[in-house]
Amino acid sequence: MASRFGPWPWIGPAVLLILAVVLWPVVEMVRTSFLRISTSGFVRGWAGLDKYTKLFDQPDFLAVLGWTVVWTITVVTLTIVISLALAQLFNQQFPGRRLTRWALIAPWAASVLMTSIGFKWMLDRTAGVLNTAMVDLHLIDGPQDWLGDPATAKPWMVVIAVFVSLPFTTYTLLAGLQTVPGEVYEAAKVDGTSTWQTYRLITLPLLRPALMVGLVINLINVFNSFPVIWGTTQGGPDSATATTTVFAFQLMNTDIGESAAMSVVNFGLVVVMVLAFLKVSRWNEENR
């Protein structure tokens, strides 16, 4: 019987799970974006493209879209660069290496929302430890509302997002580094290759599969990041610090159909972004 149905008895349950957990919600999301739904959840009829028109006419839409792009590029770039350095460090032998590796797991083990709220309390204007320390050290004249002003809230949100993204990315790159044969480095050393040349010409190319995995997953996670922003500023003031994901949640309080339209746009942007990235990075060139 197994040969008759091929691999389907084994992969069938996984396919059904994907259809139920991924495809069905996407279909429902798209369908909802064409409906007129009250805030209490009652369907009032077909809306056509009205919700998309209303969304694109939102005064904050372009600003939110622009900040989402800046947010994603900044966080992913900083995460990858710092993770490359940390992975290289943790791949060396030094006293306390095991302890530092364990310490890096802490932001990964903790809830992202809990970490974000912890930073929010640290940055609080009246009770925050950062203001207290900086005032005591005479670094600032008085308490600052770090999360109340978009000019200071955005950099702090980037810091928090990088902080919670480092563990996974670092361990992914570290796993890639540990697959590089030591003989390759010995041969490069015999040839008189400098440290930077060895890293650029040998380590990075061999690290490419792990690097691509870290980049793609970070792009998706950061672009769709919700807990970091909601746990610190809730996208405020107004929508000044909101990304497309948070903006969709904000719209849900006034118009569920428009919120669904924003979610559809967000989903489409993620698909286009990942496909473009894979095309540019020539993900499949090894299979040609």
Side-chain angles (χ1 to χ4, degrees):
M1 182 177 179
S3 59
R4 180 180 178 184
F5 293 100
W8 285 106
W10 289 272
I11 68 173
V15 172
L16 291 176
L17 182 62
I18 292 173
L19 292 175
V21 177
V22 178
L23 186 59
W24 179 76
V26 170
V27 172
E28 281 297 302
M29 177 180 67
V30 174
R31 187 180 72 87
T32 303
S33 69
F34 292 103
L35 297 176
R36 188 175 288 105
I37 304 175
S38 67
T39 53
S40 57
F42 292 100
V43 178
R44 302 299 185 186
W46 186 256
L49 295 174
D50 291 350
K51 300 304 177 182
Y52 289 91
T53 303
K54 184 180 178 182
L55 171 66
F56 297 146
D57 288 340
Q58 284 281 352
D60 294 327
F61 177 74
L62 290 179
V64 168
L65 201 60
W67 166 236
T68 303
V69 173
V70 173
W71 156 267
T72 303
I73 294 175
T74 304
V75 173
V76 172
T77 301
L78 289 174
T79 299
I80 293 298
V81 171
I82 297 173
S83 295
L84 279 169
L86 288 175
Q88 195 68 34
L89 173 65
F90 290 153
N91 198 40
Q92 309 299 318
Q93 293 289 341
F94 60 89
R97 184 179 69 163
R98 179 176 297 180
L99 181 62
T100 55
R101 282 184 174 184
W102 287 348
L104 186 64
I105 297 177
W108 194 8
S111 164
V112 176
L113 181 61
M114 183 181 71
T115 303
S116 302
I117 293 174
F119 270 93
K120 181 179 181 180
W121 280 107
M122 183 186 77
L123 300 169
D124 187 75
R125 182 172 187 173
T126 56
V129 65
L130 181 64
N131 273 325
T132 302
M134 294 185 72
V135 170
D136 290 345
L137 293 172
H138 304 290
L139 297 176
I140 55 176
D141 296 329
Q144 303 292 318
D145 190 7
W146 301 105
L147 298 178
D149 183 359
T152 54
K154 288 180 178 180
W156 273 110
M157 287 160 51
V158 169
V159 169
I160 298 169
V162 171
F163 178 75
V164 299
S165 302
L166 283 177
F168 168 79
T169 313
T170 300
Y171 275 102
T172 300
L173 298 178
L174 179 60
L177 282 175
Q178 292 180 340
T179 63
V180 179
E183 295 81 3
V184 177
Y185 292 119
E186 293 176 3
K189 191 174 182 180
V190 171
D191 291 340
T193 308
S194 67
T195 303
W196 169 243
Q197 287 177 326
T198 301
Y199 188 76
R200 183 171 59 88
L201 300 175
I202 297 176
T203 304
L204 283 180
L206 293 177
L207 195 59
R208 184 174 175 272
L211 188 60
M212 291 300 103
V213 170
L215 276 170
V216 171
I217 292 179
N218 272 290
L219 280 172
I220 297 172
N221 286 343
V222 174
F223 189 89
N224 289 315
S225 180
F226 181 85
V228 171
I229 301 171
W230 194 258
T232 51
T233 66
Q234 295 188 351
D238 296 326
S239 299
T241 60
T243 58
T244 52
T245 304
V246 175
F247 190 54
F249 190 80
Q250 291 176 331
L251 291 174
M252 189 173 62
N253 295 322
T254 56
D255 193 328
I256 295 176
E258 187 180 3
S259 175
M262 182 69 254
S263 299
V264 172
V265 172
N266 195 60
F267 179 78
L269 289 173
V270 170
V271 173
V272 171
M273 176 184 64
V274 172
L275 291 178
F277 174 79
L278 294 179
K279 180 67 175 179
V280 171
S281 63
R282 297 177 182 179
W283 176 273
N284 294 319
E285 69 176 359
E286 295 178 358
N287 297 326
R288 294 176 182 175

